[in-house]
Amino acid sequence: MKLTSKGRYAVMALVDLARFDNINPVSLRDISLRQGISLDYLEQIFSKLRKKEIVQSVRGTQGGYILNKKAKEIKLINIFEAVDEKVKTVQCKKESKKGCNGKAVKCLTHNLWDELENHINDFFDKKSLEDLVKDNSVRRV
Amino acid sequence: MKLTSKGRYAVMALVDLARFDNINPVSLRDISLRQGISLDYLEQIFSKLRKKEIVQSVRGTQGGYILNKKAKEIKLINIFEAVDEKVKTVQCKKESKKGCNGKAVKCLTHNLWDELENHINDFFDKKSLEDLVKDNSVRRV
DNA sequence: ATAAACCTGACTAAAATAGTCAAGTATCTT
DNA sequence: AAGATACTTGACTATTTTAGTCAGGTTTAT
Ligand code: FES
Ligand code: FES
């Protein structure tokens, strides 16, 4: 089980953005330099974040991105969903009544993985971008 | 973030084994048939479980595997460690002081991922094989 | 005009996953 | 002693996923 770079970068970039997001948009170039993430890759990620209305873009010179909601209202789970970093623990299709082995009943461990998935998503539900920015400024002092 | 088949199969197979593990060893062939897991793949998995002393092998006809400890004492975390299904959320090396971007300081999100890793491992620490077997027999009634 | 910065889609190298395959060795049953 | 069953090991491979790169745009402030 591991977290992919896409998800990690998305959150990292948004924390960076949230810290500098006052009046002026923040350019991906700056984020790229500060966080050491490839600019081209960031563009892919922000395209998804924009489509899911987590950020807004400002085109042209001096452009960049700004948050589309208050940092408090952006939960980790929203970010992860936006970039398709979903938690997947079961093998089978959830809606289907069939098990992962093709049999008519769910497998011996299906419920366990389902619990696990909920357990992880709870974590993502609770954490907001604001929390992360705060944690970081505290650590700075 | 997703769970791999190796981890899922390891737990699935051990639950199966724990249910039938009275006096006689359980053959991988039976587990393979009951759970719909490739026999060759199961052999790889059980080889690791044996090395980590989670199961014992009995060779020869009527052979198979038996648990090496009480089901209560086998936690999910032990199983996952045995088959190298570890939870990995941070990008950097934990022992190193360097961040994932090569800089001298840990990145903005390092603490968050560390928290997440602990959160997930807590779940695996708590669940024992016995719990899983019980859950399943309850559901049967 | 021109440069900064967003925007899009296609492409690709590398890594990880999920197995398969082959050739054993040990032990029980008959 | 023979044969069958089942564990044991190591190497090999196809597929999928990840983590980007690359090329070519469009928009807008100055
Ligand atoms: S994971 Fe859902 S049936 Fe096995
Ligand atoms: S994940 Fe540890 S420094 Fe970024």
Side-chain angles (χ1 to χ4, degrees):
Chain A
M1 290 214 86
K2 65 180 166 225
L3 188 68
T4 66
S5 292
K6 191 166 58 175
R8 194 180 301 106
Y9 288 165
V11 176
M12 219 187 276
L14 282 175
V15 174
D16 182 298
L17 175 69
R19 292 172 91 191
F20 289 86
D21 175 58
N22 306 313
I23 316 121
N24 301 321
V26 179
S27 75
L28 293 189
R29 183 149 197 285
D30 287 351
I31 298 181
S32 163
L33 290 173
R34 276 195 295 261
Q35 306 304 328
I37 304 170
S38 140
L39 178 59
D40 283 319
Y41 203 20
L42 272 179
E43 274 169 354
Q44 269 185 51
I45 293 171
F46 272 75
S47 159
K48 294 185 180 191
L49 292 174
R50 189 176 62 79
K51 277 173 193 156
K52 291 297 166 65
E53 300 180 338
I54 296 190
V55 296
Q56 259 188 358
S57 70
V58 180
R59 302 190 79 160
T61 316
Q62 304 299 326
Y65 286 91
I66 52 177
L67 292 183
N68 199 25
K69 299 174 188 173
K70 287 180 184 158
K72 198 175 182 174
E73 285 156 17
I74 302 174
K75 306 287 184 187
L76 274 200
I77 191 105
N78 305 132
I79 302 173
F80 274 32
E81 265 171 15
V83 300
D84 308 310
E85 170 88 20
K86 37 198 164 217
V87 176
K88 192 181 175 198
T89 57
V90 296
Q91 175 81 336
C92 62
K93 283 179 187 157
K94 278 199 170 183
E95 324 79 53
S96 160
K97 281 188 180 172
K98 284 186 184 171
C100 53
N101 39 24
K103 291 180 187 162
V105 192
K106 294 291 181 186
C107 75
L108 288 178
T109 49
H110 179 90
N111 283 6
L112 173 69
W113 309 132
D114 214 34
E115 263 185 74
L116 172 59
E117 200 163 308
N118 291 335
H119 182 75
I120 297 176
N121 280 327
D122 279 349
F123 184 89
F124 294 143
D125 265 332
K126 276 176 199 148
K127 290 272 177 188
S128 75
L129 203 49
E130 191 186 49
D131 297 335
L132 299 181
V133 173
K134 276 188 185 166
D135 280 1
N136 249 282
S137 54
V138 169
R139 221 193 308 157
R140 290 209 134 196
V141 177
Chain B
M1 291 214 86
K2 65 180 167 222
L3 188 68
T4 66
S5 292
K6 191 167 58 175
R8 193 180 299 107
Y9 288 165
V11 176
M12 218 187 276
L14 282 175
V15 174
D16 181 300
L17 191 154
R19 294 171 89 191
F20 289 86
D21 174 60
N22 307 312
I23 316 121
N24 301 321
V26 179
S27 75
L28 292 188
R29 183 149 197 286
D30 287 350
I31 298 181
S32 163
L33 289 173
R34 275 195 296 259
Q35 305 304 328
I37 306 170
S38 139
L39 178 58
D40 283 319
Y41 204 19
L42 272 179
E43 276 168 353
Q44 269 185 52
I45 292 170
F46 272 75
S47 159
K48 293 184 180 191
L49 293 173
R50 191 177 60 79
K51 279 174 191 153
K52 291 297 165 64
E53 300 180 336
I54 295 187
V55 296
Q56 260 188 358
S57 71
V58 179
R59 302 190 78 159
T61 316
Q62 303 300 326
Y65 287 90
I66 51 175
L67 293 183
N68 198 24
K69 299 174 188 172
K70 285 178 184 161
K72 198 176 184 173
E73 284 156 19
I74 302 176
K75 306 288 185 187
L76 275 200
I77 191 103
N78 306 131
I79 302 174
F80 274 31
E81 266 171 14
V83 299
D84 308 310
E85 170 89 17
K86 38 199 162 217
V87 175
K88 192 182 174 197
T89 57
V90 296
Q91 175 81 335
C92 62
K93 283 178 188 158
K94 277 198 171 184
E95 324 79 51
S96 160
K97 281 187 182 172
K98 283 186 185 170
C100 54
N101 39 23
K103 292 180 187 163
V105 192
K106 294 290 181 186
C107 77
L108 288 176
T109 48
H110 179 91
N111 283 6
L112 173 70
W113 309 132
D114 214 34
E115 262 186 75
L116 172 59
E117 199 163 309
N118 291 335
H119 183 75
I120 297 175
N121 280 328
D122 279 349
F123 185 89
F124 294 143
D125 265 333
K126 276 175 199 149
K127 290 272 176 188
S128 75
L129 203 49
E130 191 186 50
D131 297 335
L132 299 181
V133 173
K134 274 187 185 166
D135 281 1
N136 249 281
S137 55
V138 169
R139 219 192 312 157
R140 288 207 135 196
V141 177

